Amino acid sequence: MKIEILFEDSYIIIVNKPNNVLIHNSYYARNIKDDTLLNLLKKQFGNDFYPVHRLDRKTSGVLVLSKQKEHVSVFQELFNSDTIEKTYFGIVRGFFKENVLLNSPVKNPDTKLYKEAETYCEPLQNIELKIPVHPYNNSRYSLVKLKPSTGRMHQLRIHMNKISHPIVGDYKYGDRFHNRMFENEFNCSNLFLHAFEIKFVHPFNKNVILIKASFPDNWKFIFEKFNWKVH
């Protein structure tokens, strides 16, 4: 698998992480034996890279990695100080009709402590399908834009589930009946959460970096099926 490089300079590379690829090995994913993103990049470039932030294994999209270990903390400060702008897209259950600012603490799975988390959610498009999903005779979905101002683990997935609009393909926080429908009807089992865009001021050269990641094939398939367009 060749990883798409979206940006590169002397300090960082920014990649389009595929669905279902771990960034690195971890205790929580100890049973997964596939190549990690870091392994794939090592094979592709012959160099080691150091993640500045993280994406869930099942989330695709923009990921920033440092070329030097000593620079990781410099770039991480952009995330810790909330001076970086991140934009995600998600496909969720139900009709989402108005902009919502979600302020709800999220529990860290390691420390078991709750931390404040904030997500801005904007509805873009919706659809009603004549496909029954328990307990209804039809099914409804919305395309949403998500802009987190904090970076808690599973934040977007937890926040959407809390307002009864879980992300399709989420087997931890989502709706198993809708997940199963997407599998059976569309042959899509991936999580429909994509890190689409990132924007920040480069800490070394002060340039504004704005990077967008194209959607995976399963997203393009659903966009065509639902007649949805993203600009």
Side-chain angles (χ1 to χ4, degrees), residues 85-88 118-121 145-149 197:
E85 294 181 34
K86 299 168 288 183
T87 301
Y88 292 73
E118 184 177 89
T119 304
Y120 177 74
C121 182
K145 180 187 291 186
L146 302 167
K147 296 180 76 71
S149 56
E197 181 182 291

Side-chain angles (χ1 to χ4, degrees), residues 170-188:
D170 191 337
Y171 285 82
K172 185 175 178 67
Y173 306 102
D175 184 313
R176 69 183 187 278
F177 297 110
H178 289 268
N179 294 343
R180 193 176 303 148
M181 189 280 276
F182 263 68
E183 283 188 30
N184 295 337
E185 297 291 333
F186 307 126
N187 195 30
C188 290

Side-chain angles (χ1 to χ4, degrees), residues 124-178:
L124 299 176
Q125 301 183 64
N126 53 52
I127 191 171
E128 182 169 329
L129 304 176
K130 293 180 180 179
I131 301 174
V133 176
H134 178 81
Y136 302 106
N137 294 324
N138 53 24
S139 44
R140 295 176 171 183
Y141 302 97
S142 297
L143 176 68
V144 296
K145 180 187 291 186
L146 302 167
K147 296 180 76 71
S149 56
T150 52
R152 311 305 180 202
M153 184 178 285
H154 298 171
Q155 175 178 322
L156 301 180
R157 297 163 61 187
I158 292 171
H159 272 177
M160 297 314 296
N161 183 47
K162 280 187 176 180
I163 59 171
S164 299
H165 291 286
I167 297 171
V168 173
D170 191 337
Y171 285 82
K172 185 175 178 67
Y173 306 102
D175 184 313
R176 69 183 187 278
F177 297 110
H178 289 268

Side-chain angles (χ1 to χ4, degrees), residues 61-79:
V62 180
L63 184 77
V64 182
L65 303 103
S66 175
K67 290 186 171 182
Q68 287 85 34
K69 196 170 186 177
E70 60 269 24
H71 292 158
V72 170
S73 60
V74 180
F75 285 94
Q76 280 181 336
E77 185 55 33
L78 296 171
F79 291 84

